[in-house]
Amino acid sequence: MIPILYLVLPILGSYAMLSIFFLRRPHLLHTTWAPAFPIRLAAHRGGSGELLENTMEAMKNSMAQRADILELDCQLTRDGVVVVSHDKNLSRQSGLNKDVDSLDFKELPLYKKELEIYFSPGHFAHGSDRHMIRLEDVFQEFPRMPVIVEIKEKNEELIHKVANLARSFDRSEITIWASEKNSVMKKCKAANPEMPMAFTILRSIWILLLYYLGLLPFVSIPEKFFFCFLPTIINRTYFPFSCGWMNKLSAVVTKWIIMRKSLIQHLQDRGVQVLFWCLNEESDFEVAFNLGANGVMTDFPTALRQYLDKKEDPRAPASSI
């Protein structure tokens, strides 16, 4: 037993030292590129805390706050139009209990006059613009604005139409594929490989596992964006489980696993931008940027803009929600 330990311990020690060395110096193993469009302020659902989600009015407000990127979800109507909508079923958004794909674009209902902000429970957004819009409308209105397009289901027609819209508007390099599912992301990448990818849930777990095993410096990373929830919002503004103790446990566990500056720095050194979502309070902005995040995804672009401006100029007024 002792002779085996004499052999194994030096090997493990050397491996650990080598892993740490390359974790801090990934440029020695990998070619890295500076981000084409650095992100500090990402507007979730177009900026859904200040005006009705995914409306043109909300997006124009986010643009006025100098958002760096818009985050949107897309669905496909019965007549094949790609529309900006978080939900497939329209009940929450409009009160009409029908799926988007059961209606033609012209039949889509108006949004409700107020919508609860998912990541700020008890707060509601209002707006004069209640119309659902096409992805094409977004690309026409904001031709050079980076956009995150999240695809929730393996709908090949939807995926190919999004891919072709990005090509036709000559904006593939600033339109980001996002999906929680590996199977969907594979379809997205095949449909338009020029569009950069964000990590899926499974890929995020895999990267964390490689990090803790010390293997992360030695594997390739094709993704350019790591969108991750901030663990400290669990059981405060984000409730992933219906059971209270599960939320408390997940908050403790994920905080220990995810909130690692060395991991964030390594990903950034590899050309991956790290954004935490969906943060709506200044204290959470502070936590995210203190961890070294590139940016924050928020429902309140005005609040985040005021925070960022205050960081650059301490004399600026404090933000409020």
Side-chain angles (χ1 to χ4, degrees):
M1 185 66 179
I2 298 299
I4 293 177
L5 288 178
Y6 280 136
L7 177 65
V8 171
L9 289 178
I11 292 174
L12 290 177
S14 299
Y15 167 71
M17 291 177 62
L18 196 64
S19 176
I20 293 171
F21 178 83
F22 285 115
L23 184 76
R24 296 174 178 174
R25 300 166 182 84
H27 64 279
L28 297 177
L29 296 178
H30 306 278
T31 302
T32 59
W33 295 271
F37 46 94
I39 301 172
R40 299 283 278 171
L41 195 167
H44 182 241
R45 301 188 196 177
S48 60
E50 297 171 14
L51 292 160
L52 293 176
E53 65 182 56
N54 292 323
T55 59
M56 192 63 72
E57 184 179 40
M59 295 178 202
K60 288 180 178 178
N61 176 65
S62 295
M63 293 292 289
Q65 299 305 320
R66 309 196 308 280
D68 300 303
I69 196 166
L70 301 172
E71 186 273 342
L72 314 172
D73 307 87
C74 287
Q75 308 286 343
L76 195 66
T77 63
R78 184 172 58 194
D79 54 343
V81 177
V82 181
V83 293
V84 180
S85 174
H86 181 271
D87 300 354
K88 181 177 181 179
N89 184 275
L90 295 163
S91 181
R92 177 190 65 86
Q93 299 170 169
S94 70
L96 180 66
N97 188 21
K98 288 191 175 183
D99 290 349
V100 173
D101 60 6
S102 71
L103 300 171
D104 290 344
F105 176 69
K106 291 183 178 180
E107 298 174 331
L108 293 175
L110 297 174
Y111 283 114
K112 293 177 181 178
K113 292 183 178 179
E114 67 173 21
L115 291 173
E116 185 171 19
I117 305 158
Y118 184 81
F119 289 98
S120 291
H123 292 79
F124 293 82
H126 307 79
S128 58
D129 181 4
R130 297 167 56 197
H131 293 88
M132 295 183 70
I133 59 175
R134 304 174 302 170
L135 182 62
E136 183 176 355
D137 299 326
V138 178
F139 289 173
Q140 286 176 341
E141 186 69 28
F142 314 113
R144 301 314 302 164
M145 180 66 172
V147 173
I148 302 164
V149 178
E150 181 171 356
I151 307 295
K152 297 186 177 298
E153 297 181 348
K154 195 191 295 185
N155 183 327
E156 294 202 31
E157 184 182 1
L158 171 62
I159 291 168
H160 281 281
K161 288 199 170 188
V162 170
N164 290 334
L165 279 170
R167 286 194 188 96
S168 63
F169 281 89
D170 192 26
R171 52 171 296 123
S172 292
E173 75 284 357
I174 58 170
T175 307
I176 301 165
W177 286 124
S179 181
E180 293 182 349
K181 303 174 183 177
N182 265 18
S183 59
V184 175
M185 185 58 77
K186 288 179 182 177
K187 297 287 185 183
C188 292
K189 191 61 178 175
N192 189 336
E194 296 177 1
M195 291 170 58
M197 295 184 298
F199 282 89
T200 61
I201 290 178
L202 192 59
R203 281 284 297 165
S204 298
I205 294 171
W206 179 242
I207 286 296
L208 287 169
L209 180 62
L210 291 175
Y211 169 75
Y212 283 105
L213 290 175
L215 294 169
L216 185 55
F218 309 109
V219 300
S220 62
I221 301 178
E223 295 89 350
K224 296 300 179 187
F225 299 90
F226 185 69
F227 303 137
C228 182
F229 70 90
L230 188 70
T232 55
I233 70 173
I234 296 179
N235 219 37
R236 288 176 45 242
T237 62
Y238 178 43
F239 303 88
F241 303 103
S242 57
C243 182
W245 71 265
M246 283 289 289
N247 285 316
K248 292 179 182 178
L249 178 63
S250 63
V252 172
V253 172
T254 54
K255 181 179 179 180
W256 186 86
I257 293 174
I258 295 173
M259 296 175 69
R260 299 290 176 178
K261 287 186 176 182
S262 58
L263 169 63
I264 293 171
Q265 184 63 57
H266 179 81
L267 291 174
Q268 291 170 335
D269 290 343
R270 300 278 297 272
V272 177
Q273 293 197 67
V274 178
L275 276 74
F276 284 107
W277 59 261
C278 179
L279 312 185
N280 292 333
E281 299 178 9
E282 185 170 313
S283 59
D284 293 321
F285 302 161
E286 190 78 11
V287 171
F289 285 114
N290 283 344
L291 277 171
N294 294 87
V296 161
M297 192 178 296
T298 183
D299 292 310
F300 293 90
T302 301
L304 181 52
R305 172 49 56 200
Q306 290 175 352
Y307 169 83
L308 292 170
D309 289 347
K310 186 176 69 173
K311 292 285 285 185
E312 296 173 3
D313 182 2
R315 296 169 297 177
S319 64
S320 61
I321 296 175

